[in-house]
Amino acid sequence: MHQDFESILKSSGQSVTKPRRAVFDALTRADSPLKNGEIAKLTPSIDRASVYRTLELFAKLGITTTTIRGWTPFTELAEPFKPHHHHMICERCGVVEEIESDTLEDMLTILASRHHFTLRSHTVELSGVCASCSKNLPQPTSL
Amino acid sequence: MHQDFESILKSSGQSVTKPRRAVFDALTRADSPLKNGEIAKLTPSIDRASVYRTLELFAKLGITTTTIRGWTPFTELAEPFKPHHHHMICERCGVVEEIESDTLEDMLTILASRHHFTLRSHTVELSGVCASCSKNLPQPTSL
DNA sequence: TATATATTGCGAAAAAGTCGCAATATTATA
DNA sequence: TATAATATTGCGACTTTTTCGCAATATATA
Ligand SMILES: [Mn+2]
Ligand SMILES: [Mn+2]
Ligand SMILES: [Zn+2]
Ligand SMILES: [Zn+2]
């Protein structure tokens, strides 16, 4: 794993540095997407600016993916550092389930090619009401 | 259109107010997703804090959807205020094309129900290389 | 129109993100 | 392994974005 990560840096002409290793390690240890600020706190010896620069580089190299919740971006490792998956979020209780479907993946590629695009990456986020919430709370949560 | 918007507010027990109308109008006029700050600039008579509160409410009511580019959230009107679509973004030149596919939509519903979820909303964002970019720049952009 | 209450604007502050530049670490090469 | 070239970092100052409490105000209801 680490090896793969360092080869990605090297093969794209980037240096293997302490901040980059630290951020990668923090993301590896995390079991869910992290805010930028959380990543910074998990790497106390690394300057905030370097964390941001690292995160931008990782995004550009496809090492990480970022999604948004509220106004806040959350980052997690992408493939092959984490198995490919998508999220299904319950809007009542917030539970997150992982989605996997080869058929979906194939379809996205086909859709892209229909637009003459070569698909390089994608995000899919589903939001709804989970089984237990629709049992227990037949009425939508009041605002 | 306006009417629909106001009924959504009323039917969920919310007041129809000047800030909410202003933000909704700004989003209606926009032809692409806007940053929070851009929305605030387009509604100069509304306090920034109220813009944020309105945007949060709209998100909760499903009036808007928010996606991320870089670290910045962009908000646009959701259905039925804007026809349902998804984005295919060229990572070289940044061009955005709109994606539409009933088959995709059906599949997402099926996937959700397989997890015993009732699908309420979703986002799909594809990122790749557009036709003209793959012609003109056969090599990936250097980092 | 009067009353109850939801919402706003304000002010101040915290949090998040950005930038230039000198110091330092990394890489390549001898 | 030592040296030189240069990519990257940490620092510090800054800008932008987002959040909060509370008194003033607008909205809804009757
Ligand atoms: Mn996928
Ligand atoms: Mn869709
Ligand atoms: Zn739930
Ligand atoms: Zn392009």
Side-chain angles (χ1 to χ4, degrees):
Chain A
M1 273 279 167
H2 262 214
Q3 191 41 46
D4 276 312
F5 156 66
E6 302 198 353
S7 357
I8 287 182
L9 286 179
K10 285 179 176 166
S11 69
S12 56
Q14 305 293 319
S15 305
V16 177
T17 67
K18 188 181 160 195
R20 290 170 186 174
R21 267 193 289 251
V23 169
F24 184 83
D25 287 350
L27 289 170
T28 300
R29 285 189 225 99
D31 57 321
S32 63
L34 298 175
K35 297 187 199 184
N36 294 340
E38 293 174 326
I39 296 170
K41 271 174 207 148
L42 289 171
T43 56
S45 65
I46 309 302
D47 189 80
R48 202 171 51 261
S50 299
V51 171
Y52 277 98
R53 289 184 285 230
T54 296
L55 252 14
E56 263 165 45
L57 177 66
F58 283 8
K60 215 183 304 199
L61 293 176
I63 293 171
T64 55
T65 59
T66 299
T67 53
I68 197 171
R69 212 171 294 176
W71 308 132
T72 309
F74 285 77
T75 299
E76 64 186 324
L77 290 182
E79 304 171 74
F81 304 107
K82 197 171 188 173
H84 183 75
H85 65 276
H86 299 288
H87 292 159
M88 172 90 223
I89 304 168
C90 177
E91 63 192 32
R92 296 253 178 84
C93 68
V95 72
V96 178
E97 292 196 15
E98 309 213 320
I99 296 284
E100 245 180 277
S101 162
D102 290 343
T103 318
L104 171 62
E105 304 302 326
D106 291 346
M107 166 171 296
L108 297 179
T109 301
I110 289 166
L111 272 173
S113 75
R114 229 181 250 171
H115 287 251
H116 307 290
F117 270 66
T118 307
L119 191 59
R120 300 280 290 277
S121 67
H122 62 269
T123 66
V124 176
E125 295 263 339
L126 310 184
S127 168
V129 180
C130 76
S132 90
C133 281
S134 41
K135 264 190 200 166
N136 303 332
L137 285 172
Q139 314 300 342
T141 298
S142 74
L143 297 172
Chain B
M1 271 280 167
H2 263 216
Q3 191 40 46
D4 276 312
F5 157 68
E6 301 196 355
S7 358
I8 287 182
L9 285 179
K10 285 177 176 165
S11 68
S12 55
Q14 304 293 318
S15 306
V16 177
T17 68
K18 188 182 161 195
R20 290 168 185 176
R21 268 194 288 253
V23 168
F24 183 83
D25 289 350
L27 289 170
T28 299
R29 287 189 223 99
D31 57 320
S32 62
L34 300 174
K35 297 185 201 187
N36 294 338
E38 293 174 329
I39 296 169
K41 273 176 204 146
L42 290 169
T43 56
S45 65
I46 309 302
D47 189 80
R48 211 171 42 260
S50 299
V51 172
Y52 277 97
R53 288 184 285 231
T54 296
L55 253 13
E56 260 167 48
L57 176 66
F58 283 8
K60 216 184 301 201
L61 293 176
I63 293 171
T64 55
T65 58
T66 299
T67 53
I68 196 171
R69 214 171 293 175
W71 306 130
T72 309
F74 285 77
T75 298
E76 63 186 326
L77 291 181
E79 304 170 75
F81 303 108
K82 195 169 191 176
H84 182 76
H85 66 276
H86 299 287
H87 292 157
M88 170 91 222
I89 304 168
C90 176
E91 63 192 33
R92 295 253 179 85
C93 68
V95 71
V96 178
E97 291 195 18
E98 309 212 320
I99 296 284
E100 246 181 274
S101 162
D102 290 343
T103 317
L104 172 63
E105 303 303 325
D106 292 344
M107 167 171 299
L108 297 180
T109 302
I110 290 166
L111 272 174
S113 75
R114 227 179 254 170
H115 287 250
H116 307 289
F117 269 68
T118 307
L119 191 60
R120 299 282 290 276
S121 68
H122 61 270
T123 67
V124 176
E125 295 265 337
L126 310 185
S127 168
V129 181
C130 76
S132 90
C133 281
S134 41
K135 264 191 201 166
N136 302 333
L137 285 173
Q139 312 302 344
T141 298
S142 74
L143 299 171

